[in-house]
Amino acid sequence: MAQIQTLTFTQTLTHTGGFRAQARVRDLPPYGLDEPRDLGGEDSAPCPMDYLLTAVGGCLLSSLAMCLQKKRVEAPVSMDLEGEVARNDEGLLRVKRIRVRIRVDAREEDRRKVEGCYQIFKKYCIVSASVAQGIPLETELVFGG
């Protein structure tokens, strides 16, 4: 694989009424967005905050999986993500923090390799490393399913 210097990602968002929208990415099926009822939406689809957590978690998961694959560790991995939204000094809602709990169901003999991957994998995740420049991102590693 050639070393990539620049990547460009594009998508199209189309307003479909209320706080709803439809997103199109490449030739993939479209997917919806909406806001929760608490924010005035109909809660008919994930909201932008849900997709932010998905993007952060998906990138972290891919980066960790790549490291585990290189270390020849086969273990189920799952993540729980929590985004905290609160009002800032101007009274506007902002993402204040993202917490990620990473669960790896690794065999005892593989746990040191998993811990080694945990120490380095975040720097390879494009999305979480970029988001962490503006939003505190906390991760925790736990063993077990």
Side-chain angles (χ1 to χ4, degrees), residues 49 52 83-86 93-98 134-136:
M49 182 66 186
L52 175 62
E84 182 182 323
V85 175
L93 290 172
R94 294 293 182 259
V95 180
K96 293 294 187 179
R97 171 179 327 159
I98 296 174
I135 301 170

Side-chain angles (χ1 to χ4, degrees), residues 34-50:
D34 195 3
E35 291 291 344
R37 284 185 174 79
D38 291 353
L39 296 176
E42 296 175 12
D43 208 10
S44 65
C47 72
M49 182 66 186
D50 297 322

Side-chain angles (χ1 to χ4, degrees), residues 58-68 121-122 124-126:
C59 190
L60 286 170
L61 188 66
S62 296
S63 297
L64 180 57
M66 183 187 335
C67 184
L68 294 176
F121 83 107
K122 288 185 284 186
Y124 295 99
C125 174
I126 299 165

Side-chain angles (χ1 to χ4, degrees), residues 1 5 7 22 27 57 73 88 93 95 108 114 119 122 137 139:
M1 178 189 318
Q5 297 301 318
L7 290 171
Q22 186 176 72
D27 293 329
V73 173
N88 64 10
L93 290 172
V95 180
E108 190 67 39
V114 172
Q119 296 304 316
K122 288 185 284 186
L137 178 62
T139 62

Side-chain angles (χ1 to χ4, degrees), residues 12 22-32 51:
T12 301
Q22 186 176 72
R24 285 192 105 13
V25 177
R26 297 185 296 282
D27 293 329
L28 300 171
Y31 59 92
Y51 286 118

Side-chain angles (χ1 to χ4, degrees), residues 9-10 15 27 32 52 55 68 73 76 80 82 93 101 110 129 132 144-145:
F9 292 85
T10 62
H15 181 244
D27 293 329
L52 175 62
L68 294 176
V73 173
D80 295 315
E82 176 184 89
L93 290 172
R101 183 175 198 164
D110 287 333

